[in-house]
Amino acid sequence: MMAEPSYDFAPVRVREDLVAAHRRVWEHISRPGTWWTGEQRRAMAAETRHARDCRLCRERATSASSSKMRGRHDGLGGLPEPIVDIVHRLTNEPGRLSKDWFNEVLAKGVTEAAYVEVVGVVTQTVNVDTFCHGLGVAYHSLPAPALGEPSRHRPEGARPERAWVPMVSPANAKGPEAGLYPLGGVPNVGRALSLVPDETRSVLDLLAAQYIPAGRVSDFWFDPQRAISRAQMDLLAGRVSALNRCFY
Amino acid sequence: MHAFLLRVSGQISGNEYDLTAIARDEAGESGVPHGSTLVAYADAVLGGDDVALSHARERLLQELGAEALVDAAAVVATFAMVDRIADATGIPLDGKVELMTQGIRSEVGADAFASASNTPRPGLLRRAIGRVLAIFLPMGFRLMRAIRR
């Protein structure tokens, strides 16, 4: 039986649409993905949590030139080393990821699409865990993995653009990807994982529940009807991005 | 991008927000209602001090209420995710956003971030257009605000 996220014991009431969105993410992580099995995806989520105590990552965080530091991460042991490296760097020092490092990842045999799926699982795990941390509740138990094989679906509409990985534009979202962007114009960050459309669907679902639907972000008058104002939301967003040293 | 959206929020509502509050080491006053409380909360969620987080959470709860705490936690979580997606995929700033945020980016120090290299440096023409937009966009937003009243 899958452990379902619950906020029944949170110090404040969590609105139902958020609870539902986090349950969908947990179910999404546990299922076979596009390139990874449910067991591997769950292992990535577990490694994300474990990464926070990694000694190598802590040493790199205080180093002026972390790219030159070599060593093995304190991993759990269930994933190939290149994947552990992706998980740990993405969790602990996302602002230092570089194209050169990404090319090294590819040179180790990780495909672009497999990489994108890892990014999807890790970042969504960070999302739910950060929410729990912010509220002062314990992290949810990770879901039991579901059996089954990855779909190995590569969207025909994925094209190289200026990003490190190919993406699907709204104009090329056809066939199985029709409806990938229900509100039309989506900023680059909403398309960033579209080489693995199921990760995009899950991320956009979270965005809508937690922030603003991706297609409405640049609608300056859009009011998502939250308890904090749009300006307060954007102040929080800007501060988080500044702390993460994220240019985007 | 969100520094720009914050500026626009201010222009639409007739307020001048201090964007540098986003990047200052200490939570300063941005002009956004309860801004320093929200910034302190974001800092505490991403920091490693559980006592500081407990205090920041309590302060937010007292000033803004329970629903606001949930929404603030949700926004912080969203950008913990979104920032990582952006940095892990090397996406550049969207074209229009790049044009409209040239001045703002230097105001908040974003051009110094390593991930700035994912967005091509604008050429002379784009820089000129950016400077023109920086002058006329605020007027445009003020006009639209007046029309919508």
Side-chain angles (χ1 to χ4, degrees), chain A residues 78-114:
Chain A
L79 292 165
E81 183 55 30
I83 306 305
V84 173
D85 187 49
I86 296 168
V87 173
H88 281 231
R89 287 182 191 247
L90 184 52
T91 301
N92 293 326
E93 48 174 355
R96 285 177 158 185
L97 299 178
S98 68
K99 185 80 196 295
D100 286 344
W101 167 79
F102 174 69
N103 288 336
E104 286 176 14
V105 166
L106 298 183
K108 289 175 185 169
V110 181
T111 65
E112 290 170 328

PDB file of all heavy atoms in Angstrom, chain A residues 78-114:
ATOM      1  N   GLY A  78      22.164   2.591  -4.294  1.00  0.00           N
ATOM      2  CA  GLY A  78      21.188   1.943  -5.175  1.00  0.00           C
ATOM      3  C   GLY A  78      21.167   2.446  -6.611  1.00  0.00           C
ATOM      4  O   GLY A  78      20.386   1.961  -7.429  1.00  0.00           O
ATOM      5  N   LEU A  79      22.019   3.417  -6.917  1.00  0.00           N
ATOM      6  CA  LEU A  79      21.995   4.046  -8.237  1.00  0.00           C
ATOM      7  C   LEU A  79      23.404   4.115  -8.817  1.00  0.00           C
ATOM      8  O   LEU A  79      24.388   4.158  -8.068  1.00  0.00           O
ATOM      9  CB  LEU A  79      21.438   5.483  -8.129  1.00  0.00           C
ATOM     10  CG  LEU A  79      19.976   5.624  -7.761  1.00  0.00           C
ATOM     11  CD1 LEU A  79      19.678   7.063  -7.327  1.00  0.00           C
ATOM     12  CD2 LEU A  79      19.080   5.229  -8.929  1.00  0.00           C
ATOM     13  N   PRO A  80      23.514   4.151 -10.158  1.00  0.00           N
ATOM     14  CA  PRO A  80      24.844   4.306 -10.757  1.00  0.00           C
ATOM     15  C   PRO A  80      25.487   5.617 -10.304  1.00  0.00           C
ATOM     16  O   PRO A  80      24.791   6.608 -10.074  1.00  0.00           O
ATOM     17  CB  PRO A  80      24.550   4.347 -12.267  1.00  0.00           C
ATOM     18  CG  PRO A  80      23.190   3.776 -12.436  1.00  0.00           C
ATOM     19  CD  PRO A  80      22.441   4.058 -11.178  1.00  0.00           C
ATOM     20  N   GLU A  81      26.801   5.625 -10.200  1.00  0.00           N
ATOM     21  CA  GLU A  81      27.520   6.792  -9.691  1.00  0.00           C
ATOM     22  C   GLU A  81      27.211   8.090 -10.455  1.00  0.00           C
ATOM     23  O   GLU A  81      27.036   9.142  -9.827  1.00  0.00           O
ATOM     24  CB  GLU A  81      29.035   6.520  -9.684  1.00  0.00           C
ATOM     25  CG  GLU A  81      29.891   7.630  -9.102  1.00  0.00           C
ATOM     26  CD  GLU A  81      29.502   8.051  -7.694  1.00  0.00           C
ATOM     27  OE1 GLU A  81      28.998   7.201  -6.933  1.00  0.00           O
ATOM     28  OE2 GLU A  81      29.679   9.228  -7.356  1.00  0.00           O
ATOM     29  N   PRO A  82      27.130   8.080 -11.809  1.00  0.00           N
ATOM     30  CA  PRO A  82      26.799   9.347 -12.497  1.00  0.00           C
ATOM     31  C   PRO A  82      25.440   9.904 -12.062  1.00  0.00           C
ATOM     32  O   PRO A  82      25.261  11.122 -12.003  1.00  0.00           O
ATOM     33  CB  PRO A  82      26.789   8.968 -13.982  1.00  0.00           C
ATOM     34  CG  PRO A  82      27.613   7.724 -14.065  1.00  0.00           C
ATOM     35  CD  PRO A  82      27.396   7.003 -12.771  1.00  0.00           C
ATOM     36  N   ILE A  83      24.490   9.020 -11.761  1.00  0.00           N
ATOM     37  CA  ILE A  83      23.173   9.488 -11.338  1.00  0.00           C
ATOM     38  C   ILE A  83      23.255  10.047  -9.918  1.00  0.00           C
ATOM     39  O   ILE A  83      22.631  11.068  -9.599  1.00  0.00           O
ATOM     40  CB  ILE A  83      22.132   8.339 -11.422  1.00  0.00           C
ATOM     41  CG1 ILE A  83      22.133   7.732 -12.831  1.00  0.00           C
ATOM     42  CG2 ILE A  83      20.743   8.832 -11.025  1.00  0.00           C
ATOM     43  CD1 ILE A  83      21.904   8.731 -13.948  1.00  0.00           C
ATOM     44  N   VAL A  84      24.029   9.391  -9.065  1.00  0.00           N
ATOM     45  CA  VAL A  84      24.225   9.910  -7.708  1.00  0.00           C
ATOM     46  C   VAL A  84      24.824  11.309  -7.772  1.00  0.00           C
ATOM     47  O   VAL A  84      24.415  12.211  -7.042  1.00  0.00           O
ATOM     48  CB  VAL A  84      25.135   8.960  -6.887  1.00  0.00           C
ATOM     49  CG1 VAL A  84      25.494   9.569  -5.534  1.00  0.00           C
ATOM     50  CG2 VAL A  84      24.457   7.612  -6.698  1.00  0.00           C
ATOM     51  N   ASP A  85      25.784  11.499  -8.677  1.00  0.00           N
ATOM     52  CA  ASP A  85      26.408  12.826  -8.824  1.00  0.00           C
ATOM     53  C   ASP A  85      25.377  13.865  -9.240  1.00  0.00           C
ATOM     54  O   ASP A  85      25.342  14.975  -8.702  1.00  0.00           O
ATOM     55  CB  ASP A  85      27.542  12.746  -9.855  1.00  0.00           C
ATOM     56  CG  ASP A  85      28.336  14.042  -9.938  1.00  0.00           C
ATOM     57  OD1 ASP A  85      28.745  14.569  -8.875  1.00  0.00           O
ATOM     58  OD2 ASP A  85      28.561  14.538 -11.058  1.00  0.00           O
ATOM     59  N   ILE A  86      24.523  13.513 -10.193  1.00  0.00           N
ATOM     60  CA  ILE A  86      23.470  14.449 -10.632  1.00  0.00           C
ATOM     61  C   ILE A  86      22.577  14.798  -9.441  1.00  0.00           C
ATOM     62  O   ILE A  86      22.293  15.970  -9.173  1.00  0.00           O
ATOM     63  CB  ILE A  86      22.611  13.832 -11.753  1.00  0.00           C
ATOM     64  CG1 ILE A  86      23.438  13.577 -13.012  1.00  0.00           C
ATOM     65  CG2 ILE A  86      21.435  14.753 -12.082  1.00  0.00           C
ATOM     66  CD1 ILE A  86      22.722  12.709 -14.046  1.00  0.00           C
ATOM     67  N   VAL A  87      22.125  13.785  -8.738  1.00  0.00           N
ATOM     68  CA  VAL A  87      21.199  14.003  -7.623  1.00  0.00           C
ATOM     69  C   VAL A  87      21.829  14.911  -6.562  1.00  0.00           C
ATOM     70  O   VAL A  87      21.214  15.868  -6.095  1.00  0.00           O
ATOM     71  CB  VAL A  87      20.769  12.659  -6.989  1.00  0.00           C
ATOM     72  CG1 VAL A  87      19.943  12.902  -5.726  1.00  0.00           C
ATOM     73  CG2 VAL A  87      19.968  11.832  -7.987  1.00  0.00           C
ATOM     74  N   HIS A  88      23.069  14.609  -6.204  1.00  0.00           N
ATOM     75  CA  HIS A  88      23.709  15.386  -5.129  1.00  0.00           C
ATOM     76  C   HIS A  88      23.984  16.827  -5.548  1.00  0.00           C
ATOM     77  O   HIS A  88      23.724  17.765  -4.785  1.00  0.00           O
ATOM     78  CB  HIS A  88      25.012  14.704  -4.701  1.00  0.00           C
ATOM     79  CG  HIS A  88      24.796  13.530  -3.798  1.00  0.00           C
ATOM     80  ND1 HIS A  88      25.453  13.384  -2.594  1.00  0.00           N
ATOM     81  CD2 HIS A  88      23.974  12.463  -3.908  1.00  0.00           C
ATOM     82  CE1 HIS A  88      25.063  12.263  -2.012  1.00  0.00           C
ATOM     83  NE2 HIS A  88      24.173  11.682  -2.791  1.00  0.00           N
ATOM     84  N   ARG A  89      24.492  17.003  -6.748  1.00  0.00           N
ATOM     85  CA  ARG A  89      24.795  18.382  -7.189  1.00  0.00           C
ATOM     86  C   ARG A  89      23.516  19.183  -7.356  1.00  0.00           C
ATOM     87  O   ARG A  89      23.459  20.363  -7.001  1.00  0.00           O
ATOM     88  CB  ARG A  89      25.560  18.362  -8.503  1.00  0.00           C
ATOM     89  CG  ARG A  89      27.013  17.918  -8.370  1.00  0.00           C
ATOM     90  CD  ARG A  89      27.685  17.986  -9.718  1.00  0.00           C
ATOM     91  NE  ARG A  89      28.976  17.348  -9.747  1.00  0.00           N
ATOM     92  CZ  ARG A  89      30.126  18.011  -9.915  1.00  0.00           C
ATOM     93  NH1 ARG A  89      30.121  19.319 -10.048  1.00  0.00           N
ATOM     94  NH2 ARG A  89      31.259  17.355  -9.962  1.00  0.00           N
ATOM     95  N   LEU A  90      22.493  18.562  -7.895  1.00  0.00           N
ATOM     96  CA  LEU A  90      21.233  19.272  -8.113  1.00  0.00           C
ATOM     97  C   LEU A  90      20.575  19.622  -6.777  1.00  0.00           C
ATOM     98  O   LEU A  90      19.983  20.685  -6.628  1.00  0.00           O
ATOM     99  CB  LEU A  90      20.317  18.394  -8.965  1.00  0.00           C
ATOM    100  CG  LEU A  90      18.986  18.959  -9.402  1.00  0.00           C
ATOM    101  CD1 LEU A  90      19.157  20.308 -10.081  1.00  0.00           C
ATOM    102  CD2 LEU A  90      18.304  17.980 -10.351  1.00  0.00           C
ATOM    103  N   THR A  91      20.700  18.748  -5.813  1.00  0.00           N
ATOM    104  CA  THR A  91      20.103  19.008  -4.507  1.00  0.00           C
ATOM    105  C   THR A  91      20.883  20.084  -3.755  1.00  0.00           C
ATOM    106  O   THR A  91      20.292  20.995  -3.185  1.00  0.00           O
ATOM    107  CB  THR A  91      20.089  17.717  -3.658  1.00  0.00           C
ATOM    108  OG1 THR A  91      19.339  16.717  -4.352  1.00  0.00           O
ATOM    109  CG2 THR A  91      19.462  17.956  -2.292  1.00  0.00           C
ATOM    110  N   ASN A  92      22.207  19.995  -3.763  1.00  0.00           N
ATOM    111  CA  ASN A  92      23.032  20.810  -2.867  1.00  0.00           C
ATOM    112  C   ASN A  92      23.662  22.045  -3.483  1.00  0.00           C
ATOM    113  O   ASN A  92      23.938  22.999  -2.761  1.00  0.00           O
ATOM    114  CB  ASN A  92      24.132  19.947  -2.255  1.00  0.00           C
ATOM    115  CG  ASN A  92      23.570  18.900  -1.306  1.00  0.00           C
ATOM    116  OD1 ASN A  92      22.582  19.145  -0.621  1.00  0.00           O
ATOM    117  ND2 ASN A  92      24.180  17.724  -1.290  1.00  0.00           N
ATOM    118  N   GLU A  93      23.943  22.039  -4.776  1.00  0.00           N
ATOM    119  CA  GLU A  93      24.601  23.215  -5.370  1.00  0.00           C
ATOM    120  C   GLU A  93      24.110  23.470  -6.792  1.00  0.00           C
ATOM    121  O   GLU A  93      24.884  23.508  -7.734  1.00  0.00           O
ATOM    122  CB  GLU A  93      26.126  23.069  -5.347  1.00  0.00           C
ATOM    123  CG  GLU A  93      26.666  21.758  -5.839  1.00  0.00           C
ATOM    124  CD  GLU A  93      28.197  21.738  -5.923  1.00  0.00           C
ATOM    125  OE1 GLU A  93      28.833  22.764  -5.681  1.00  0.00           O
ATOM    126  OE2 GLU A  93      28.736  20.673  -6.249  1.00  0.00           O
ATOM    127  N   PRO A  94      22.784  23.666  -6.934  1.00  0.00           N
ATOM    128  CA  PRO A  94      22.243  23.846  -8.288  1.00  0.00           C
ATOM    129  C   PRO A  94      22.817  25.055  -9.005  1.00  0.00           C
ATOM    130  O   PRO A  94      22.946  25.041 -10.225  1.00  0.00           O
ATOM    131  CB  PRO A  94      20.731  24.010  -8.040  1.00  0.00           C
ATOM    132  CG  PRO A  94      20.619  24.455  -6.617  1.00  0.00           C
ATOM    133  CD  PRO A  94      21.754  23.791  -5.896  1.00  0.00           C
ATOM    134  N   GLY A  95      23.184  26.085  -8.255  1.00  0.00           N
ATOM    135  CA  GLY A  95      23.706  27.300  -8.873  1.00  0.00           C
ATOM    136  C   GLY A  95      25.068  27.123  -9.500  1.00  0.00           C
ATOM    137  O   GLY A  95      25.549  28.016 -10.203  1.00  0.00           O
ATOM    138  N   ARG A  96      25.708  25.987  -9.266  1.00  0.00           N
ATOM    139  CA  ARG A  96      27.045  25.758  -9.812  1.00  0.00           C
ATOM    140  C   ARG A  96      27.050  24.767 -10.964  1.00  0.00           C
ATOM    141  O   ARG A  96      28.107  24.410 -11.469  1.00  0.00           O
ATOM    142  CB  ARG A  96      27.970  25.241  -8.707  1.00  0.00           C
ATOM    143  CG  ARG A  96      28.402  26.323  -7.728  1.00  0.00           C
ATOM    144  CD  ARG A  96      29.237  25.730  -6.638  1.00  0.00           C
ATOM    145  NE  ARG A  96      30.072  26.745  -6.018  1.00  0.00           N
ATOM    146  CZ  ARG A  96      30.986  26.499  -5.084  1.00  0.00           C
ATOM    147  NH1 ARG A  96      31.182  25.265  -4.678  1.00  0.00           N
ATOM    148  NH2 ARG A  96      31.697  27.471  -4.573  1.00  0.00           N
ATOM    149  N   LEU A  97      25.881  24.312 -11.367  1.00  0.00           N
ATOM    150  CA  LEU A  97      25.848  23.380 -12.502  1.00  0.00           C
ATOM    151  C   LEU A  97      26.282  24.115 -13.758  1.00  0.00           C
ATOM    152  O   LEU A  97      25.922  25.271 -13.967  1.00  0.00           O
ATOM    153  CB  LEU A  97      24.444  22.811 -12.667  1.00  0.00           C
ATOM    154  CG  LEU A  97      23.905  22.011 -11.476  1.00  0.00           C
ATOM    155  CD1 LEU A  97      22.483  21.548 -11.753  1.00  0.00           C
ATOM    156  CD2 LEU A  97      24.803  20.827 -11.172  1.00  0.00           C
ATOM    157  N   SER A  98      27.036  23.441 -14.602  1.00  0.00           N
ATOM    158  CA  SER A  98      27.568  24.099 -15.799  1.00  0.00           C
ATOM    159  C   SER A  98      27.405  23.198 -17.021  1.00  0.00           C
ATOM    160  O   SER A  98      27.215  21.981 -16.897  1.00  0.00           O
ATOM    161  CB  SER A  98      29.069  24.397 -15.625  1.00  0.00           C
ATOM    162  OG  SER A  98      29.792  23.179 -15.594  1.00  0.00           O
ATOM    163  N   LYS A  99      27.508  23.812 -18.178  1.00  0.00           N
ATOM    164  CA  LYS A  99      27.428  23.059 -19.430  1.00  0.00           C
ATOM    165  C   LYS A  99      28.559  22.038 -19.509  1.00  0.00           C
ATOM    166  O   LYS A  99      28.358  20.917 -19.981  1.00  0.00           O
ATOM    167  CB  LYS A  99      27.492  24.032 -20.622  1.00  0.00           C
ATOM    168  CG  LYS A  99      27.288  23.356 -21.974  1.00  0.00           C
ATOM    169  CD  LYS A  99      25.838  23.100 -22.262  1.00  0.00           C
ATOM    170  CE  LYS A  99      25.614  22.113 -23.389  1.00  0.00           C
ATOM    171  NZ  LYS A  99      26.058  22.554 -24.687  1.00  0.00           N
ATOM    172  N   ASP A 100      29.733  22.416 -19.049  1.00  0.00           N
ATOM    173  CA  ASP A 100      30.869  21.479 -19.072  1.00  0.00           C
ATOM    174  C   ASP A 100      30.556  20.245 -18.229  1.00  0.00           C
ATOM    175  O   ASP A 100      30.826  19.112 -18.641  1.00  0.00           O
ATOM    176  CB  ASP A 100      32.141  22.152 -18.530  1.00  0.00           C
ATOM    177  CG  ASP A 100      32.729  23.140 -19.523  1.00  0.00           C
ATOM    178  OD1 ASP A 100      32.354  23.081 -20.711  1.00  0.00           O
ATOM    179  OD2 ASP A 100      33.560  23.967 -19.114  1.00  0.00           O
ATOM    180  N   TRP A 101      29.997  20.469 -17.057  1.00  0.00           N
ATOM    181  CA  TRP A 101      29.624  19.342 -16.191  1.00  0.00           C
ATOM    182  C   TRP A 101      28.565  18.490 -16.882  1.00  0.00           C
ATOM    183  O   TRP A 101      28.641  17.251 -16.874  1.00  0.00           O
ATOM    184  CB  TRP A 101      29.116  19.852 -14.848  1.00  0.00           C
ATOM    185  CG  TRP A 101      28.438  18.774 -14.053  1.00  0.00           C
ATOM    186  CD1 TRP A 101      29.040  17.785 -13.310  1.00  0.00           C
ATOM    187  CD2 TRP A 101      27.034  18.540 -13.960  1.00  0.00           C
ATOM    188  NE1 TRP A 101      28.095  16.973 -12.761  1.00  0.00           N
ATOM    189  CE2 TRP A 101      26.849  17.408 -13.140  1.00  0.00           C
ATOM    190  CE3 TRP A 101      25.901  19.181 -14.490  1.00  0.00           C
ATOM    191  CZ2 TRP A 101      25.578  16.903 -12.834  1.00  0.00           C
ATOM    192  CZ3 TRP A 101      24.645  18.671 -14.181  1.00  0.00           C
ATOM    193  CH2 TRP A 101      24.498  17.541 -13.360  1.00  0.00           C
ATOM    194  N   PHE A 102      27.566  19.142 -17.483  1.00  0.00           N
ATOM    195  CA  PHE A 102      26.501  18.405 -18.179  1.00  0.00           C
ATOM    196  C   PHE A 102      27.095  17.544 -19.290  1.00  0.00           C
ATOM    197  O   PHE A 102      26.713  16.373 -19.461  1.00  0.00           O
ATOM    198  CB  PHE A 102      25.472  19.395 -18.739  1.00  0.00           C
ATOM    199  CG  PHE A 102      24.416  18.764 -19.588  1.00  0.00           C
ATOM    200  CD1 PHE A 102      23.454  17.928 -19.031  1.00  0.00           C
ATOM    201  CD2 PHE A 102      24.374  18.994 -20.963  1.00  0.00           C
ATOM    202  CE1 PHE A 102      22.477  17.336 -19.815  1.00  0.00           C
ATOM    203  CE2 PHE A 102      23.398  18.407 -21.749  1.00  0.00           C
ATOM    204  CZ  PHE A 102      22.452  17.572 -21.175  1.00  0.00           C
ATOM    205  N   ASN A 103      28.046  18.088 -20.032  1.00  0.00           N
ATOM    206  CA  ASN A 103      28.690  17.307 -21.089  1.00  0.00           C
ATOM    207  C   ASN A 103      29.447  16.107 -20.515  1.00  0.00           C
ATOM    208  O   ASN A 103      29.488  15.036 -21.128  1.00  0.00           O
ATOM    209  CB  ASN A 103      29.643  18.194 -21.906  1.00  0.00           C
ATOM    210  CG  ASN A 103      28.881  19.159 -22.800  1.00  0.00           C
ATOM    211  OD1 ASN A 103      27.727  18.920 -23.155  1.00  0.00           O
ATOM    212  ND2 ASN A 103      29.523  20.257 -23.178  1.00  0.00           N
ATOM    213  N   GLU A 104      30.037  16.271 -19.345  1.00  0.00           N
ATOM    214  CA  GLU A 104      30.701  15.139 -18.681  1.00  0.00           C
ATOM    215  C   GLU A 104      29.678  14.056 -18.331  1.00  0.00           C
ATOM    216  O   GLU A 104      29.955  12.861 -18.435  1.00  0.00           O
ATOM    217  CB  GLU A 104      31.400  15.602 -17.395  1.00  0.00           C
ATOM    218  CG  GLU A 104      32.675  16.399 -17.613  1.00  0.00           C
ATOM    219  CD  GLU A 104      33.269  16.908 -16.299  1.00  0.00           C
ATOM    220  OE1 GLU A 104      32.854  16.425 -15.214  1.00  0.00           O
ATOM    221  OE2 GLU A 104      34.137  17.789 -16.362  1.00  0.00           O
ATOM    222  N   VAL A 105      28.498  14.492 -17.887  1.00  0.00           N
ATOM    223  CA  VAL A 105      27.428  13.536 -17.559  1.00  0.00           C
ATOM    224  C   VAL A 105      27.070  12.719 -18.806  1.00  0.00           C
ATOM    225  O   VAL A 105      26.955  11.486 -18.746  1.00  0.00           O
ATOM    226  CB  VAL A 105      26.185  14.278 -17.017  1.00  0.00           C
ATOM    227  CG1 VAL A 105      24.962  13.369 -16.997  1.00  0.00           C
ATOM    228  CG2 VAL A 105      26.461  14.838 -15.630  1.00  0.00           C
ATOM    229  N   LEU A 106      26.897  13.399 -19.928  1.00  0.00           N
ATOM    230  CA  LEU A 106      26.560  12.695 -21.168  1.00  0.00           C
ATOM    231  C   LEU A 106      27.691  11.746 -21.572  1.00  0.00           C
ATOM    232  O   LEU A 106      27.434  10.637 -22.056  1.00  0.00           O
ATOM    233  CB  LEU A 106      26.295  13.697 -22.294  1.00  0.00           C
ATOM    234  CG  LEU A 106      25.118  14.664 -22.102  1.00  0.00           C
ATOM    235  CD1 LEU A 106      24.947  15.536 -23.355  1.00  0.00           C
ATOM    236  CD2 LEU A 106      23.817  13.916 -21.820  1.00  0.00           C
ATOM    237  N   ALA A 107      28.929  12.192 -21.375  1.00  0.00           N
ATOM    238  CA  ALA A 107      30.084  11.365 -21.749  1.00  0.00           C
ATOM    239  C   ALA A 107      30.157  10.086 -20.918  1.00  0.00           C
ATOM    240  O   ALA A 107      30.773   9.096 -21.340  1.00  0.00           O
ATOM    241  CB  ALA A 107      31.378  12.175 -21.580  1.00  0.00           C
ATOM    242  N   LYS A 108      29.516  10.110 -19.749  1.00  0.00           N
ATOM    243  CA  LYS A 108      29.499   8.909 -18.904  1.00  0.00           C
ATOM    244  C   LYS A 108      28.378   7.960 -19.301  1.00  0.00           C
ATOM    245  O   LYS A 108      28.153   6.948 -18.634  1.00  0.00           O
ATOM    246  CB  LYS A 108      29.339   9.301 -17.426  1.00  0.00           C
ATOM    247  CG  LYS A 108      30.579   9.962 -16.845  1.00  0.00           C
ATOM    248  CD  LYS A 108      30.339  10.449 -15.425  1.00  0.00           C
ATOM    249  CE  LYS A 108      31.548  11.214 -14.918  1.00  0.00           C
ATOM    250  NZ  LYS A 108      31.287  11.923 -13.650  1.00  0.00           N
ATOM    251  N   GLY A 109      27.632   8.293 -20.362  1.00  0.00           N
ATOM    252  CA  GLY A 109      26.637   7.373 -20.886  1.00  0.00           C
ATOM    253  C   GLY A 109      25.201   7.684 -20.484  1.00  0.00           C
ATOM    254  O   GLY A 109      24.283   6.939 -20.835  1.00  0.00           O
ATOM    255  N   VAL A 110      24.984   8.773 -19.760  1.00  0.00           N
ATOM    256  CA  VAL A 110      23.616   9.154 -19.412  1.00  0.00           C
ATOM    257  C   VAL A 110      23.028   9.895 -20.614  1.00  0.00           C
ATOM    258  O   VAL A 110      23.635  10.843 -21.115  1.00  0.00           O
ATOM    259  CB  VAL A 110      23.594  10.071 -18.166  1.00  0.00           C
ATOM    260  CG1 VAL A 110      22.163  10.441 -17.802  1.00  0.00           C
ATOM    261  CG2 VAL A 110      24.300   9.406 -16.994  1.00  0.00           C
ATOM    262  N   THR A 111      21.865   9.467 -21.081  1.00  0.00           N
ATOM    263  CA  THR A 111      21.263  10.166 -22.221  1.00  0.00           C
ATOM    264  C   THR A 111      20.613  11.457 -21.740  1.00  0.00           C
ATOM    265  O   THR A 111      20.304  11.619 -20.547  1.00  0.00           O
ATOM    266  CB  THR A 111      20.187   9.306 -22.898  1.00  0.00           C
ATOM    267  OG1 THR A 111      19.104   9.120 -21.968  1.00  0.00           O
ATOM    268  CG2 THR A 111      20.736   7.959 -23.336  1.00  0.00           C
ATOM    269  N   GLU A 112      20.369  12.362 -22.691  1.00  0.00           N
ATOM    270  CA  GLU A 112      19.704  13.632 -22.344  1.00  0.00           C
ATOM    271  C   GLU A 112      18.347  13.356 -21.688  1.00  0.00           C
ATOM    272  O   GLU A 112      17.984  13.985 -20.701  1.00  0.00           O
ATOM    273  CB  GLU A 112      19.465  14.454 -23.617  1.00  0.00           C
ATOM    274  CG  GLU A 112      20.731  15.016 -24.239  1.00  0.00           C
ATOM    275  CD  GLU A 112      20.454  15.598 -25.610  1.00  0.00           C
ATOM    276  OE1 GLU A 112      19.570  15.090 -26.326  1.00  0.00           O
ATOM    277  OE2 GLU A 112      21.153  16.560 -25.987  1.00  0.00           O
ATOM    278  N   ALA A 113      17.590  12.431 -22.266  1.00  0.00           N
ATOM    279  CA  ALA A 113      16.242  12.181 -21.762  1.00  0.00           C
ATOM    280  C   ALA A 113      16.282  11.543 -20.370  1.00  0.00           C
ATOM    281  O   ALA A 113      15.493  11.905 -19.494  1.00  0.00           O
ATOM    282  CB  ALA A 113      15.470  11.293 -22.743  1.00  0.00           C
ATOM    283  N   ALA A 114      17.188  10.605 -20.171  1.00  0.00           N
ATOM    284  CA  ALA A 114      17.314   9.985 -18.849  1.00  0.00           C
ATOM    285  C   ALA A 114      17.694  11.038 -17.821  1.00  0.00           C
ATOM    286  O   ALA A 114      17.198  11.038 -16.689  1.00  0.00           O
ATOM    287  CB  ALA A 114      18.356   8.863 -18.878  1.00  0.00           C
TER     288      ALA A 114
END
